[in-house]
Amino acid sequence: MTTVTAEQTIADARERIDALDDRIIGLIQERMAVSTVVQETRISSGGRRVNLSREMEILGRYREALGKPGTALAMTLLELCRGRI
């Protein structure tokens, strides 16, 4: 029978968190690239860089899934993907 220490449990969990963070960062970078395509396409077709109604949908989606902190997270993602307006 193997006994796992609290320290080992914490170390294993932190390793998993680090791996998850790497995946999250990669997904954010992918989202930024896709957002750039949307913005460039919208601008080249005579539209505006930012679609506020779409951003409100995104804010609502994150708030619904994650509560109030989800709104802050969505705002940060939107800022990363479109820059400050």
Side-chain angles (χ1 to χ4, degrees):
M1 179 179 217
T2 304
T3 303
V4 178
T5 65
E7 293 82 12
Q8 186 59 51
T9 299
I10 291 168
D12 291 347
R14 285 180 175 163
E15 192 173 305
R16 185 161 180 224
I17 286 171
D18 290 345
L20 288 167
D21 285 343
D22 288 343
R23 289 172 47 199
I24 291 167
I25 290 167
L27 288 170
I28 291 169
Q29 290 170 331
E30 182 178 349
R31 189 188 195 288
M32 291 168 69
V34 172
S35 183
T36 297
V37 170
V38 170
Q39 289 176 50
E40 289 174 352
T41 303
R42 192 182 305 122
I43 290 168
S44 70
S45 65
R48 299 175 57 140
R49 181 171 65 100
V50 175
N51 181 331
L52 293 178
S53 64
R54 173 68 177 147
E55 289 194 357
M56 293 305 292
E57 289 175 25
I58 293 166
L59 291 170
R61 183 177 182 189
Y62 275 76
R63 181 179 54 250
E64 196 173 295
L66 303 171
K68 186 177 179 181
T71 303
L73 176 60
M75 287 296 294
T76 299
L77 282 172
L78 291 170
E79 186 176 326
L80 283 168
C81 291
R82 57 133 158 86
R84 290 188 176 266
I85 56 171

